[in-house]
Amino acid sequence: MNLLASLLYLFITYVVTVHVGWSLYRSGRVFILHLMEGDEGNTDSINRMLLLGYYLLNLGYAAFLFATWEQVTTLPQLLETVGGMTGRIVITLGIIHYCNMTAIYLLAQKHHIQNIQNL
């Protein structure tokens, strides 16, 4: 039962990490480009750093949770363990996503103010 729980958890973690990360990467470029006032060089750099950070954080957190794995012996325990661990990852990444968007917004405001001062 423990092997099944591990495989299920790794599959869900893979889907969340790769597919959601790639979707945020593609969709987020337009948002960042707008905030950076069309500066494609900074936009692409920021977007790639966010994707890399997302991958590293998600995989590291998943590995950390996996290291604290308890023995799974029943189906209800499997669902509870995998669901709880997956939920923690998704909630944590959601919070961090909004923190990143706030940081990008503040960075864009600073970039905007510097552009006005240079005029």
Side-chain angles (χ1 to χ4, degrees), residues 1-11 66 69-73 78 82:
M1 195 61 93
N2 221 27
L3 178 63
L4 178 60
S6 299
L7 291 175
L8 183 60
Y9 174 69
L10 290 174
F11 175 75
F66 196 71
W69 196 274
E70 295 179 14
Q71 185 70 19
V72 176
T73 55
L78 179 143
V82 172

Side-chain angles (χ1 to χ4, degrees), residues 2 4 9-11 13 15 37-38 44 46 65 90 100 103 108:
N2 221 27
L4 178 60
Y9 174 69
L10 290 174
F11 175 75
T13 300
V15 170
E37 299 176 346
D44 291 338
I46 290 170
L65 289 178
V90 171
N100 285 340

